């Protein structure tokens, strides 16, 4: 991808729209919509790096109720020619064609490498990467399996949504959530993961979400790991332009 002069690439993660309730998340959704309007002015591309929704599951003919303002804004921006890429997180991993077919937005279920202006970006939500967290990794394999998804679809959507929303909040093993406390550069497992990747191949930037903490960690002589933070407590995002990559806080007070 070549970045035209004056254009920018935007990165956002962990909005968790719908949490803890639809009503309580609406102010955050409105703030996110203002961010999209801001990015719209000079965005070449927008990367949504996972957990945009606190829960999402696509039945054959049904998608979750709500989020119409966000979906409409994304569709509008995509129709204008702004490139948008969606990486699933651990809360919205059950995507199966709706974003691609209805919005024209490609969806990635695993980390992906993008080259922007000759810089290599390793991008992903971040869940299940790095050492440890074996319980969640085993559970993720089950959830991503076709049999589990087929089985879940047989339940009525009203029942399925209630069960999934309860588990999303209450069961930390299933949600993959951790205490959102900085562990130190040597203990942050996504930084460890990035260092291991650099042993085999060079990347200029590692961009993840999931940890809900804005972070900047040097993982190599010419490589940096950034965590995008969230839209619950920090309202942070990443932006890349001709001057490099930067973490920013939206509407900072």
């Amino acid at each position: 991808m070549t970045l035209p002069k004056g254009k920018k690439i935007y990165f956002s993660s962990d909005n968790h729209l719908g949490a803890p309730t639809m009503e309580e998340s609406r102010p955050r959704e409105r703030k996110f919509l203002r961010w999209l309007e801001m990015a719209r002015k000079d965005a070449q591309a927008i990367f949504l790096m996972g957990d945009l929704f606190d829960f999402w599951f696509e039945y054959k003919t049904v998608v979750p109720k709500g989020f119409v303002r966000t979906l409409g804004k994304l569709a509008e921006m995509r129709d204008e020619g702004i490139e948008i890429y969606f990486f699933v997180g651990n809360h919205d991993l059950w995507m199966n064609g709706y974003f691609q077919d209805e919005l024209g937005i490609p969806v990635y279920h695993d980390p992906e490498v993008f080259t922007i202006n000759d810089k290599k970006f390793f991008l992903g939500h971040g869940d299940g990467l790095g050492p440890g967290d074996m319980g969640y990794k085993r559970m993720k394999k089950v959830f991503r399996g076709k049999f589990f998804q087929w089985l879940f679809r047989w339940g009525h959507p009203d029942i399925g949504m209630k069960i999934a929303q309860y588990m999303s909040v209450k069961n930390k093993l299933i949600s993959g959530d951790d205490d959102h406390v900085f562990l130190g550069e040597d203990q942050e497992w996504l930084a460890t993961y990035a260092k291991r990747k650099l042993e085999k191949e060079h990347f200029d930037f590692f961009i993840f979400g999931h940890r809900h903490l804005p972070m900047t960690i040097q993982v190599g002589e010419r490589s940096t790991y950034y965590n995008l933070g969230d839209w619950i407590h920090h309202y942070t995002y990443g932006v890349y332009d001709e001057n490099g990559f930067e973490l920013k806080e939206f509407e900072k007070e």
Side-chain angles (χ1 to χ4, degrees), residues 11 49 111-114 119-125 129 190-209 215-228 245 247:
F11 301 81
M49 301 301 297
E112 191 75 19
V113 177
F114 283 77
K119 299 292 185 180
K120 291 180 70 174
F121 286 71
F122 189 95
L123 306 177
H125 180 61
L129 302 180
L190 286 173
T192 299
Y193 175 81
K195 291 174 183 177
R196 291 178 178 175
K197 294 294 292 185
L198 288 171
E199 293 174 1
K200 297 181 180 180
E201 186 178 357
H202 172 73
F203 298 98
D204 296 282
F205 303 102
F206 293 85
I207 313 296
F208 297 116
M215 295 185 225
T216 302
I217 298 177
Q218 197 75 24
V219 291
E221 186 177 342
R222 295 180 294 115
S223 303
T224 308
Y225 153 55
Y226 292 95
N227 197 284
L228 296 170
F245 189 95
L247 285 178

Side-chain angles (χ1 to χ4, degrees), residues 95-112:
M95 291 203 163
N96 191 32
Y98 182 78
F99 263 50
Q100 297 95 317
D101 298 339
E102 187 69 22
L103 306 179
I105 296 175
V107 172
Y108 300 91
H109 291 262
D110 296 293
E112 191 75 19

Side-chain angles (χ1 to χ4, degrees), residues 57 94 141-154:
F57 187 92
W94 293 291
K141 287 183 179 180
V142 173
F143 284 171
R144 291 183 64 170
K146 292 186 181 297
F147 176 74
F148 173 85
Q149 295 180 46
W150 173 83
L151 192 64
F152 194 84
R153 283 193 180 95
W154 275 98

Side-chain angles (χ1 to χ4, degrees), residues 13-211:
S13 185
D14 292 276
N15 302 75
H16 290 270
L17 298 180
T21 66
M22 294 293 291
E23 291 75 18
E24 290 179 78
S25 77
R26 282 198 179 107
R28 293 189 285 110
E29 183 178 20
R30 287 194 289 269
K31 190 166 185 174
F32 179 62
L33 291 170
R34 294 196 298 273
W35 179 79
L36 287 174
E37 275 297 322
M38 180 273 297
R40 187 179 190 172
K41 300 173 184 177
D42 56 8
Q44 174 71 14
I46 295 174
F47 287 85
L48 303 175
M49 301 301 297
D51 287 353
L52 176 62
F53 311 107
D54 197 58
F55 176 72
W56 180 275
F57 187 92
E58 293 179 20
Y59 296 84
K60 189 173 182 179
T61 57
V62 176
V63 296
K65 180 180 179 181
F67 320 118
V68 63
R69 293 168 182 81
T70 296
L71 295 174
K73 181 65 67 178
L74 293 175
E76 187 178 288
M77 295 172 70
R78 187 67 193 94
D79 289 345
E80 292 175 354
I82 297 173
E83 300 171 48
I84 302 175
Y85 304 90
F86 191 98
F87 284 76
V88 303
N90 47 302
H91 284 256
D92 51 18
L93 58 86
W94 293 291
M95 291 203 163
N96 191 32
Y98 182 78
F99 263 50
Q100 297 95 317
D101 298 339
E102 187 69 22
L103 306 179
I105 296 175
V107 172
Y108 300 91
H109 291 262
D110 296 293
E112 191 75 19
V113 177
F114 283 77
T115 300
I116 305 173
N117 282 7
D118 298 323
K119 299 292 185 180
K120 291 180 70 174
F121 286 71
F122 189 95
L123 306 177
H125 180 61
D127 61 310
L129 302 180
D133 206 8
M134 299 309 298
Y136 170 69
K137 290 176 181 178
R138 288 191 292 268
M139 191 66 71
K140 184 177 179 179
K141 287 183 179 180
V142 173
F143 284 171
R144 291 183 64 170
K146 292 186 181 297
F147 176 74
F148 173 85
Q149 295 180 46
W150 173 83
L151 192 64
F152 194 84
R153 283 193 180 95
W154 275 98
H156 191 281
D158 287 349
I159 297 174
M161 290 292 292
K162 285 185 178 180
I163 293 173
Q165 287 168 345
Y166 175 83
M167 298 300 280
S168 176
V169 174
K170 297 296 183 181
N171 192 311
K172 297 304 181 183
L173 177 63
I174 289 176
S175 72
D177 287 342
D178 298 280
D179 292 333
H180 304 143
V181 177
F182 181 60
L183 303 175
E185 293 189 6
D186 294 336
Q187 298 298 320
E188 285 291 340
W189 65 86
L190 286 173
T192 299
Y193 175 81
K195 291 174 183 177
R196 291 178 178 175
K197 294 294 292 185
L198 288 171
E199 293 174 1
K200 297 181 180 180
E201 186 178 357
H202 172 73
F203 298 98
D204 296 282
F205 303 102
F206 293 85
I207 313 296
F208 297 116
H210 187 58
R211 285 287 283 119

